[in-house]
Amino acid sequence: MDTIIFDDELSEITVKRLISLFSEAYDSGFKELRLMMTSTGESISDALKIYNYIKSVPIVICVHNLGTVSHLSNLLFLSGKVRSAAPHTLFCFGPLELNIRKYQKYSLNYLQFLWQKMDQDFQWIINTYQSSSIGSQEVDWVVSHIQRCIVDAEKAMKLSYIDRIYDCNIESDTILARYVNFFPKVTPLMHF
């Protein structure tokens, strides 16, 4: 089984890299792929793009939370057919937010359009959480997505969000790892 380790935020660049790695694994004949992740996500479009892509790939994706899966990165986590987490991990949920630029003018029609779009996205996300539960247990807790909440691995197991808790050892469990966060974080030079 090929393994991808994803320790970055969901962004246009990382989603393109993930799609490239999934396509490469499929082209290489892999039937199963493991995605070990810890991630944040704020971009609705990037989260929806990777979720829909993974759901369409004819490979069994096993997703494992290594640390914290936060906000819209939960959609990436939910795209896995098999979902697991280490005992110490967290799943963080929060409201959808719209960042509006300071001193920017928007018409009432445009703001109403944005509100409708956010409401549609929110309903889609709620439906995705509900339809992606592993067991038959109710997942009304998803509605708390409107408010901020943190779910640990034990609670995630009780809520049928994951199907297994185990502590994996990346070195011994990983035959071939491909790291998604291939761009080093660089501190810009200060010019005087």
Side-chain angles (χ1 to χ4, degrees), residues 93-137:
F93 301 91
L96 291 181
E97 297 174 336
L98 175 64
N99 293 326
I100 296 180
R101 292 186 189 144
K102 198 173 185 179
Y103 308 115
Q104 186 74 27
K105 293 181 182 180
Y106 297 99
S107 71
L108 179 59
N109 287 341
Y110 184 68
L111 290 172
Q112 288 172 334
F113 165 76
L114 291 176
W115 177 260
Q116 289 173 344
K117 182 70 176 124
M118 281 184 67
D119 189 51
Q120 288 172 351
D121 290 342
F122 179 72
Q123 292 305 317
W124 186 90
I125 290 168
I126 293 293
N127 292 337
T128 301
Y129 285 140
Q130 290 173 335
S131 66
S132 297
S133 66
I134 295 166
S136 59
Q137 185 176 358

Side-chain angles (χ1 to χ4, degrees), residues 34-170:
R34 178 171 40 190
L35 175 63
M36 301 171 116
M37 68 177 287
T38 180
S39 179
T40 60
E42 299 299 326
S43 169
I44 294 172
S45 60
D46 294 325
L48 296 177
K49 183 177 183 177
I50 193 63
Y51 176 87
N52 289 324
Y53 177 81
I54 291 174
K55 285 297 194 180
S56 70
V57 175
I59 298 176
V60 174
I61 308 289
C62 304
V63 184
H64 186 75
N65 181 355
L66 294 171
T68 302
V69 174
S70 188
H71 300 291
L72 292 170
S73 289
N74 280 286
L75 289 175
L76 172 57
F77 186 82
L78 284 175
S79 66
K81 188 159 187 98
V82 177
R83 299 188 299 262
S84 59
H88 64 277
T89 60
L90 298 173
F91 296 92
C92 302
F93 301 91
L96 291 181
E97 297 174 336
L98 175 64
N99 293 326
I100 296 180
R101 292 186 189 144
K102 198 173 185 179
Y103 308 115
Q104 186 74 27
K105 293 181 182 180
Y106 297 99
S107 71
L108 179 59
N109 287 341
Y110 184 68
L111 290 172
Q112 288 172 334
F113 165 76
L114 291 176
W115 177 260
Q116 289 173 344
K117 182 70 176 124
M118 281 184 67
D119 189 51
Q120 288 172 351
D121 290 342
F122 179 72
Q123 292 305 317
W124 186 90
I125 290 168
I126 293 293
N127 292 337
T128 301
Y129 285 140
Q130 290 173 335
S131 66
S132 297
S133 66
I134 295 166
S136 59
Q137 185 176 358
E138 285 201 30
V139 286
D140 288 337
W141 63 276
V142 172
V143 178
S144 69
H145 184 237
I146 296 170
Q147 303 298 320
R148 296 190 187 281
C149 70
I150 297 174
V151 175
D152 63 15
E154 289 292 327
K155 186 172 182 181
M157 184 78 173
K158 289 176 187 168
L159 294 169
S160 301
Y161 197 70
I162 59 175
D163 60 350
R164 181 175 166 204
I165 297 174
Y166 76 98
D167 211 358
C168 70
N169 181 336
I170 293 176

Side-chain angles (χ1 to χ4, degrees), residues 165-183:
I165 297 174
Y166 76 98
D167 211 358
C168 70
N169 181 336
I170 293 176
E171 288 78 24
S172 64
D173 284 355
T174 305
I175 298 169
L176 174 62
R178 297 156 193 242
Y179 291 83
V180 175
N181 53 342
F182 58 102
F183 291 117

